[in-house]
Amino acid sequence: MLFYMAPMEGMSGYVFRRAYHRRFGDIDRYFTPFIANKKLSSRERNDILPEHNEGMELVPQILANREEDFVAIAKELQVFGYRRVNLNLGCPSGTVVAKGRGAGFLEFPGRLDAFLANIFEKCPLQISIKTRIGKDLAEEWEELQQVYEKYPLEELIIHPRVQRDFYKNAPNMEVFAQAALTCRHSLCYNGDICTPEDYARFAAAFPQISKVMIGRGIFKNPALVGRIRGQATAAKEELRAFHQEVLEGYLAVLSGDKNTLFKMKEWWVYLAEAFANPATYSKKIKKATTVREYQAAVESLFREQELVV
């Protein structure tokens, strides 16, 4: 089984990826948070610079619904040595969907078909797609799959929810099972693999699928892929050292405590679930206004609570 790290906006950037790769090193392919501008911003350029991603197989993800934007970004990425890109057709964010991008593009399969025809003709890089199964209804998948079947995708990553599900409701495994039987593309599964038991159930049900993408599960438990692969549960010291490396990475590249704390607090929405009784400590972490206050709250949590992952 190959394991991919899902792109998570604001969280899975190069600071987190680099620390994760140094400490755990068990991800086969990383995906960047989506690139949405016709020209790379300085932040996006920093995220994809080869020197910031040494030793990793990294795939930049593009959020676009205009062929000229997609191709312009792909050509700029080619200059940095990239050979493949991923098209985001899965982001459920309301602001993204309102512009007909991400999962919002799935509402218009005819327009999507024309867009794909153009980018596959003009894009110099290999293209994969990360998709949901529809905008509003699972029944939309049949037509969407027919569109995808026309094009030489490097791979198709399926998150079997519709856009309006966001991350609620269970993934629609019936639709994924149908895709696994009928789709000609190499498939990767994405959705709700947060424990070794979740993975075991999926692998038993779909032995023919050899690629899994994990997002929230890794942010909840950075040792998850290692555990799936039979390694021991991570010790608190290992997790503490990883957390400290991420924190120091943000402090080195971001200006001021506020920006660093914003990044770290986003992570704690997930990481708190790794501990037995995190509620009191999570409140202190959330209220911290300086890095010193934040570190004191985090150290108390690590010292006083046991890991449950």
Side-chain angles (χ1 to χ4, degrees):
M1 182 69 73
L2 297 178
F3 291 92
Y4 295 172
M5 181 181 286
M8 294 185 67
E9 181 65 18
M11 298 181 65
S12 62
Y14 79 90
V15 170
F16 184 92
R17 291 194 306 265
R18 188 164 58 185
Y20 181 94
H21 194 69
R22 278 172 42 83
R23 294 284 173 178
F24 298 98
D26 49 21
I27 290 294
D28 298 290
R29 185 174 286 181
Y30 297 82
F31 289 72
T32 70
F34 62 69
I35 298 167
N37 301 306
K38 191 171 183 178
K39 183 175 178 60
L40 293 176
S41 66
S42 59
R43 176 183 59 80
E44 291 166 340
R45 187 175 297 107
N46 277 330
D47 196 49
I48 60 90
L49 284 175
E51 57 264 38
H52 289 165
N53 296 280
E54 291 182 0
M56 306 177 210
E57 183 175 352
L58 182 66
V59 180
Q61 186 184 75
I62 298 175
L63 179 78
N65 61 3
R66 287 159 39 98
E67 63 179 86
E68 56 268 35
D69 295 346
F70 185 97
V71 173
I73 295 168
K75 287 182 177 179
E76 191 170 356
L77 291 167
Q78 187 181 32
V79 173
F80 290 94
Y82 286 96
R83 296 181 295 108
R84 54 175 59 91
V85 289
N86 180 260
L87 171 63
N88 180 323
L89 295 175
C91 180
S93 165
T95 54
V96 168
V97 169
K99 296 177 181 178
R101 299 191 292 182
F105 208 168
L106 302 179
E107 187 175 6
F108 311 103
R111 284 168 46 189
L112 176 59
D113 192 357
F115 170 83
L116 292 177
N118 285 317
I119 66 171
F120 273 96
E121 178 184 352
K122 300 174 182 178
C123 179
L125 308 180
Q126 294 179 320
I127 301 170
S128 64
I129 289 176
K130 182 175 186 290
T131 185
R132 292 199 172 217
I133 58 173
K135 169 65 169 56
D136 297 307
L137 299 170
E139 288 74 15
E140 297 168 32
W141 173 250
E142 182 176 356
E143 185 175 5
L144 290 169
Q145 183 177 330
Q146 289 174 2
V147 171
Y148 297 148
E149 292 290 289
K150 297 180 181 181
Y151 301 100
L153 307 184
E154 185 196 19
E155 63 186 356
L156 182 61
I157 303 165
I158 300 177
H159 182 135
R161 286 184 169 97
V162 296
Q163 180 272 329
R164 69 177 184 180
D165 285 336
F166 284 83
Y167 297 98
K168 300 176 182 177
N169 304 321
N172 190 321
M173 302 312 292
E174 291 183 7
V175 169
F176 185 80
Q178 184 64 23
L181 284 173
T182 60
C183 185
R184 73 181 181 94
H185 297 301
S186 177
L187 297 186
C188 173
Y189 173 79
N190 171 230
D192 285 18
I193 293 182
C194 295
T195 67
E197 293 74 22
D198 293 335
Y199 170 78
R201 284 190 292 270
F202 173 81
F206 297 96
Q208 75 275 38
I209 301 299
S210 61
K211 296 177 287 189
V212 168
M213 175 179 276
I214 305 176
R216 290 171 294 161
I218 289 174
F219 284 87
K220 292 176 182 179
N221 176 14
L224 174 60
V225 174
R227 287 201 60 202
I228 288 172
R229 287 180 159 159
Q231 298 172 16
T233 302
K236 276 202 293 184
E237 286 307 314
E238 183 180 13
L239 185 55
R240 179 190 274 118
F242 172 51
H243 168 274
Q244 187 64 25
E245 185 168 345
V246 175
L247 175 62
E248 290 174 1
Y250 283 131
L251 286 170
V253 301
L254 298 176
S255 59
D257 285 10
K258 183 178 179 180
N259 292 325
T260 295
L261 291 179
F262 180 79
K263 290 286 191 182
M264 298 304 293
K265 290 176 182 181
E266 278 191 304
W267 183 17
W268 276 102
V269 171
Y270 301 97
L271 187 59
E273 296 184 29
F275 294 87
N277 295 292
T280 299
Y281 307 88
S282 293
K283 290 179 181 177
K284 291 180 180 179
I285 290 170
K286 186 176 181 179
K287 290 180 179 179
T289 57
T290 67
V291 170
R292 179 177 294 183
E293 290 175 355
Y294 168 83
Q295 287 185 298
V298 169
E299 282 302 311
S300 294
L301 176 55
F302 272 104
R303 184 174 59 251
E304 297 168 15
Q305 293 295 319
E306 295 302 317
L307 292 178
V308 294
V309 293

